[in-house]
Amino acid sequence: MALDSKQSFASQSLIELRDVHKSYKLGETLVPALRGLSLSLDRGEFVAVIGASGSGKSTLLNIIGGIDAADAGEVTINGQSWKGLSDNRRSEWRNQFFGFVFQSFNLMPMLNVHENVELPLMIQKHVSKDERRRRVESLLADVGLSAFAKQRPDKLSGGQRQRVAIARALVTEPLVVIADEPTANLDSTTTLQVVKLMQDLNAKKNITFIFSTHDEKLMAQVKRILRIKDGTLIQESQKSQFE
């Protein structure tokens, strides 16, 4: 079954990792990042990955999102494996099915807010100019930044820039948003505002959110927590509703 349409995603687990291993070379030393990690994520989940620096959080997110490849084990999206895909096909999957939010925002300084959010859609040639404008304007309204559409990133606060980054991640209408330390550069008040925004978008659009964090105070804000230590999933907890 080819992963050709978002409508093909069925009731089975959206993301599956089975006995995934990943190591990196540091000089002559092979450093293990993931050691036989397995997990399952369903569509519409809101998940935090927590653990100390170097525990494997970023590696896990990169492998789920197809930015990096596992050394061993299986990673599948609705039953379809990342394994064996060409670089071009991997890029197509990432653009079509995943949105990414980074702690450093990664906005283009020469583009205004509207243009930054629109940028991922420029790759999708089947999306018309009118549809691009509709999606961008709708998302800027969702994140409360309609009035800032013509501003450049250097005129925005950190929280505003992160909201632009979230809108950009959502503009392709992905099934999964992956966020690596999305609140690391924000103060505590802005952090809670950004997490609340992600919660609202998760509930409104049924998008799966998985993000890493060092801040265990955020545990009360998520539905499911995955705790990683030394590349291994050591604890998992799930809540029936937000607290």
Side-chain angles (χ1 to χ4, degrees), residues 5 43 86 89 97 104 115 121 134 139 176 202 209:
S5 170
R43 186 168 185 182
S86 67
R89 187 60 172 147
F97 297 107
S104 56
E115 292 165 340
L121 287 179
R134 184 198 67 77
L139 279 167
V176 183
N202 166 256
F209 276 80

Side-chain angles (χ1 to χ4, degrees), residues 118-125 127 132 135-136 171-172:
E118 184 183 32
L119 195 58
L121 287 179
M122 304 301 287
I123 302 171
Q124 298 190 358
K125 302 303 182 183
V127 180
R132 293 201 308 266
R135 290 196 198 180
V136 173
V171 77
T172 58

Side-chain angles (χ1 to χ4, degrees), residues 173-191:
E173 300 181 346
L175 291 170
V176 183
V177 170
I178 293 175
D180 192 7
E181 302 279 359
T183 60
N185 295 321
L186 307 177
D187 61 57
S188 58
T189 299
T190 307
T191 289

Side-chain angles (χ1 to χ4, degrees), residues 11 14 16 27 41 63 68 86-87 90 107 111 118 127 133 150 167 195 206 209 221 229 232 238-239:
S11 59
L14 180 63
E16 292 275 356
L41 298 173
I63 285 177
D68 208 346
S86 67
D87 288 343
R90 290 172 75 91
L107 301 178
L111 302 180
E118 184 183 32
V127 180
R133 183 174 62 252
K150 299 304 181 183
V195 173
N206 199 35
F209 276 80
Q221 305 300 320
K229 182 178 180 181
T232 302
Q238 190 153 359
K239 303 172 184 178

Side-chain angles (χ1 to χ4, degrees), residues 19-85:
D19 196 26
V20 169
H21 293 256
K22 181 66 181 179
S23 297
Y24 299 98
K25 288 201 73 173
L26 185 61
E28 297 299 316
T29 305
L30 196 63
V31 180
L34 296 179
R35 311 180 192 220
L37 191 147
S38 298
L39 67 88
S40 174
L41 298 173
D42 294 331
R43 186 168 185 182
E45 289 205 64
F46 192 82
V47 183
V49 182
I50 65 173
S53 180
S55 60
K57 301 189 304 297
S58 294
T59 299
L60 171 62
L61 297 189
N62 288 342
I63 285 177
I64 289 174
I67 294 173
D68 208 346
D71 296 332
E74 192 74 19
V75 182
T76 59
I77 311 299
N78 198 48
Q80 305 305 296
S81 177
W82 276 117
K83 194 178 295 183
L85 292 179

Side-chain angles (χ1 to χ4, degrees), residues 102-187:
F102 306 95
Q103 59 176 297
S104 56
F105 316 131
N106 287 8
L107 301 178
M108 302 295 287
M110 72 290 297
L111 302 180
N112 64 33
V113 165
H114 183 107
E115 292 165 340
N116 265 285
V117 175
E118 184 183 32
L119 195 58
L121 287 179
M122 304 301 287
I123 302 171
Q124 298 190 358
K125 302 303 182 183
H126 64 282
V127 180
S128 69
K129 183 177 180 179
D130 286 344
E131 174 65 8
R132 293 201 308 266
R133 183 174 62 252
R134 184 198 67 77
R135 290 196 198 180
V136 173
E137 290 176 352
S138 175
L139 279 167
L140 289 180
D142 284 342
V143 302
L145 290 176
S146 296
F148 297 85
K150 299 304 181 183
Q151 297 279 4
R152 292 193 177 183
D154 63 352
K155 303 298 183 183
L156 305 178
S157 69
Q160 288 170 330
R161 279 179 279 172
Q162 193 60 293
R163 282 187 276 157
V164 175
I166 291 169
R168 181 185 57 190
L170 292 170
V171 77
T172 58
E173 300 181 346
L175 291 170
V176 183
V177 170
I178 293 175
D180 192 7
E181 302 279 359
T183 60
N185 295 321
L186 307 177
D187 61 57

